Amino acid sequence: QVQLVESGGGLVQAGGSLTVSCAASGRFDSIVSMGWYRQAPGMQRDLVAIFTSGGSTDYADSVKGRFTISRDHATNTVHLQMNRLIPADTAVYYCHAYIYFGRRWDEYWGQGTQVTVSS
């Protein structure tokens, strides 16, 4: 069974940095895409940063220049380095992946990790 296991997150002051990581575990053929979404209270879940199926990266406009997504193919892990954090970045951050099993692909979400930025 595939799981997305998240780590990192927490409380940081505005202007600070945090890194959240997500590792895909289980048996599968390949990862089609993998990245991060976030959801603030009362808001919809929005894309933050992702490695697309073509291998390129895509960022929300609000985080461009501040956040960097990276990946480790050997461990099926993605990291999101978040710099110059602002209170508007406060949200639950969810790891997301489309995973390929040979004849089908399935969508997976992590359990979410809280990021709180204090002013």
Side-chain angles (χ1 to χ4, degrees), residues 14-95:
S17 298
L18 277 176
T19 299
V20 289
S21 300
C22 174
S25 65
R27 296 185 66 179
F28 50 86
D29 283 4
S30 63
I31 296 173
V32 177
S33 68
M34 192 169 181
W36 291 91
Y37 287 71
R38 69 186 180 186
Q39 188 169 21
M43 305 293 286
Q44 65 181 20
R45 191 174 297 185
D46 291 324
L47 173 71
V48 178
I50 198 166
F51 280 98
T52 69
S53 58
S56 62
T57 56
D58 192 19
Y59 292 90
D61 288 342
S62 61
V63 307
K64 286 180 180 177
R66 300 188 297 122
F67 291 11
T68 302
I69 190 169
S70 61
R71 69 191 304 177
D72 182 340
H73 289 279
T75 60
N76 296 313
T77 301
V78 292
H79 307 283
L80 183 68
Q81 173 68 43
M82 303 180 286
N83 297 325
R84 291 185 282 137
L85 284 158
I86 60 177
D89 295 319
T90 296
V92 178
Y93 283 67
Y94 294 93
C95 183

